[in-house]
Amino acid sequence: MPPTLGALLRTPSLRLRLLTGQDRTHRQVEWVAVSELADPTPYLAGGELVLTTGVRWVDRLPDLRAYVGRLAERDIAGIGFGAAVNFDHTPEELVDAAEEFGVALVEVHRLTPFMAVGKEVSRLLAQEEYEGLNRAFAAQRALTRAALTGAPAVVDRLARELGGWVLLLSPDGAVRHAAPGSAAARAPGLADELARLRGAGPRASVSVASEGDRVSVQPLATSGRARGFLAVGGVRVSGSDDRTLVNAAVSLLSLELERPSPGPGSGVRSAVLTALLDGALDPVHPGAADLRAVLPAEPVVVAVGAALPDGPRPEGVLVAGHEGRTVVLAAAATDAAVFGEVLAGPVGVSAPVGYPDLAAARSQAERALAAATEEESGLQRYDQLPGGLLGLLDTPAGARLADDLLAPIDQQRAAPELLASLRAYLAASGRWDTAAERLGVHRHTLRYRMRRIRELLPGDLDDPDHRTELWIALRVREGRH
């Protein structure tokens, strides 16, 4: 996204002063155009900051009302007038015309070259492009990790990244997975488009208006045969980053749907574990004696990590994809090698618990996984982690408090980069160079992200209490993701 006029005004080195258009600082500056023409509009595309010194106005002041009116019709971002060059101050006629037409008028200090304004806009545009590439790469990595858990996790992640709704449909149009669940109601309205896509071949796609929304539908095809459809709505997929992300999801889902179905009974076992983790099943209920007989004996442990593709399923354990992770439930006495048969990479294992405490055990396993990932160790058990206040906060209530505090950041497309920047900044006690080095970014990039974070969070980052709360929230969050 191009920089706003307000961002340029907040750049101290430019020495810009806003004369009119205080309500226009949100306008994006697509480019900087330097022109002394009486009518520069034939050479403008709209969205420019037009800079002039009024050199042609010295002998006779033109009709500045007509001049500003033409620029306003061209929908420019604003006018910048070079002060103390040809005029001692910005002409009042120019100020009045800008006020009348609602155009932002900026006075450029005599010590600020117009080239400096153009270079700053170019720098901010390049920074935004770099940020966009980073977001795209991070989103694609997240999609790939989700694919290890299964197609539903890919759909959930895509909906989160795009901020819209996503449907995974079978070849006949039935809903395989919806994110969010309410999006399933959209499926019947797409039936006619699916029929046309089936006859158009596996490479066809369609964008249609449905229920006041723009919906994109693409087939999920392998070996020349459509194995399903992906529908995306609630957001306009127009940028190259969004299109790349959707294409990546199409490829991952097409490959996932081509994989053979699991063996008989495995889906039921996975569903049982998911229900246990969500609290939908109560194994200690008096009527659940038959269920307890087939579950791992208490005490049990929960392990989380990334699934091994087509990995084996050892006897005596339950395995399920849950909230973007692969979760394993096993008896506490289970050998650690069993987890390695199911999970790839770092693995986090909870402390032994009873079935009523599965939610807490899941949170413990996530904290252990975060520690294993950070220390690049194979397997980390929660009861081997240091205790302290963070351990006291590792509860569902603590998790909710952390989510509430970080919610304004979570709602942004760039949430992973913003959260990582906030953590690095707090860990470095506000030292820009140290934090930027840990992130592997330029300090100006970190400053840009932190300004965005300050705008999003209601508290004051200079307040030690607020900084402490944010740090604890981030640490609690690390134990769950």
Side-chain angles (χ1 to χ4, degrees), residues 239-328:
S240 59
D241 295 342
D242 289 343
R243 288 194 296 270
T244 299
L245 193 59
V246 172
N247 290 338
V250 167
S251 299
L252 290 169
L253 289 169
S254 297
L255 292 172
E256 179 66 23
L257 295 179
E258 193 175 28
R259 292 174 55 180
S261 301
S266 60
V268 174
R269 294 166 64 85
S270 174
V272 168
L273 178 52
T274 300
L276 288 171
L277 294 170
D278 290 338
L281 282 179
D282 181 9
V284 299
H285 188 278
D290 291 340
L291 175 62
R292 289 195 299 273
V294 298
L295 291 175
E298 293 181 291
V300 294
V301 292
V302 173
V304 295
L308 283 169
D310 298 319
R313 297 293 182 262
E315 291 295 326
V317 303
L318 296 182
V319 182
H322 191 257
E323 297 180 358
R325 301 280 196 202
T326 295
V327 184
V328 179

Side-chain angles (χ1 to χ4, degrees), residues 341-360:
E341 296 178 17
V342 181
L343 302 172
V347 176
V349 182
S350 73
V353 298
Y355 278 108
D357 299 319
L358 279 185

Side-chain angles (χ1 to χ4, degrees), residues 54-78:
V55 65
R56 293 176 178 266
W57 308 347
V58 174
D59 296 332
R60 184 174 63 86
L61 205 63
D63 184 354
L64 292 180
R65 184 178 182 277
Y67 172 80
V68 175
R70 288 191 295 268
L71 292 176
E73 290 180 0
R74 200 59 171 169
D75 195 28
I76 63 169

Side-chain angles (χ1 to χ4, degrees), residues 32-400:
V32 172
V34 179
S35 177
E36 302 293 351
L37 296 175
D39 182 12
T41 54
Y43 307 98
L44 301 178
E48 296 90 351
L49 175 62
V50 179
L51 302 182
T52 181
T53 65
V55 65
R56 293 176 178 266
W57 308 347
V58 174
D59 296 332
R60 184 174 63 86
L61 205 63
D63 184 354
L64 292 180
R65 184 178 182 277
Y67 172 80
V68 175
R70 288 191 295 268
L71 292 176
E73 290 180 0
R74 200 59 171 169
D75 195 28
I76 63 169
I79 301 173
F81 186 80
V85 179
N86 296 300
F87 290 81
D88 293 335
H89 55 80
T90 303
E92 289 298 327
E93 293 85 350
L94 183 61
V95 176
D96 293 342
E99 284 278 13
E100 178 182 349
F101 288 100
V103 174
L105 176 60
V106 176
E107 188 173 83
V108 184
H109 195 277
R110 64 181 181 83
L111 296 179
T112 300
F114 283 178
M115 179 65 75
V117 182
K119 289 176 67 174
E120 179 64 13
V121 170
S122 296
R123 186 189 70 80
L124 292 174
L125 286 171
Q127 177 178 291
E128 176 62 27
E129 184 177 359
Y130 173 76
E131 293 276 346
L133 287 173
N134 276 347
R135 288 193 297 268
F137 287 141
Q140 288 187 55
R141 287 196 298 270
L143 275 182
T144 303
R145 287 195 299 269
L148 296 175
T149 302
V154 175
V155 173
D156 292 338
R157 189 70 200 192
L158 181 61
R160 177 178 173 183
E161 293 291 341
L162 295 178
W165 56 266
V166 180
L167 286 178
L168 176 61
L169 305 171
S170 64
D172 62 0
V175 178
R176 287 183 169 177
H177 189 70
S182 58
R186 299 275 189 159
L190 301 175
D192 292 341
E193 303 304 328
L194 295 184
R196 280 193 283 272
L197 276 178
R198 292 187 195 98
R203 296 185 181 275
S205 63
V206 66
S207 181
V208 297
S210 174
E211 299 181 26
D213 189 10
R214 178 60 58 179
V215 182
S216 172
V217 185
Q218 298 193 52
L220 305 174
T222 56
S223 304
R225 183 166 65 92
R227 299 180 180 274
F229 298 93
L230 181 70
V232 177
V235 62
R236 184 174 295 278
V237 181
S238 55
S240 59
D241 295 342
D242 289 343
R243 288 194 296 270
T244 299
L245 193 59
V246 172
N247 290 338
V250 167
S251 299
L252 290 169
L253 289 169
S254 297
L255 292 172
E256 179 66 23
L257 295 179
E258 193 175 28
R259 292 174 55 180
S261 301
S266 60
V268 174
R269 294 166 64 85
S270 174
V272 168
L273 178 52
T274 300
L276 288 171
L277 294 170
D278 290 338
L281 282 179
D282 181 9
V284 299
H285 188 278
D290 291 340
L291 175 62
R292 289 195 299 273
V294 298
L295 291 175
E298 293 181 291
V300 294
V301 292
V302 173
V304 295
L308 283 169
D310 298 319
R313 297 293 182 262
E315 291 295 326
V317 303
L318 296 182
V319 182
H322 191 257
E323 297 180 358
R325 301 280 196 202
T326 295
V327 184
V328 179
L329 178 69
T334 301
D335 191 277
V338 172
F339 301 122
E341 296 178 17
V342 181
L343 302 172
V347 176
V349 182
S350 73
V353 298
Y355 278 108
D357 299 319
L358 279 185
R362 167 69 194 279
S363 180
Q364 292 176 359
E366 292 286 359
R367 280 197 60 199
L369 175 61
T373 302
E374 184 172 344
E375 298 170 6
E376 298 183 352
S377 59
L379 183 142
Q380 176 67 59
R381 293 185 180 274
Y382 176 81
D383 48 16
Q384 294 174 351
L385 295 174
L389 288 174
L390 286 177
L392 296 177
L393 290 172
D394 189 17
T395 64
R400 284 194 298 272

Side-chain angles (χ1 to χ4, degrees), residues 422 425-426 450 453-454 457 459-464 466-467 470:
L422 176 60
Y425 176 79
L426 295 176
M450 292 307 299
I453 289 170
R454 286 178 183 272
L457 295 178
D460 183 1
L461 269 180
D462 295 326
D463 181 353
H466 188 54
R467 290 159 72 107
L470 289 171

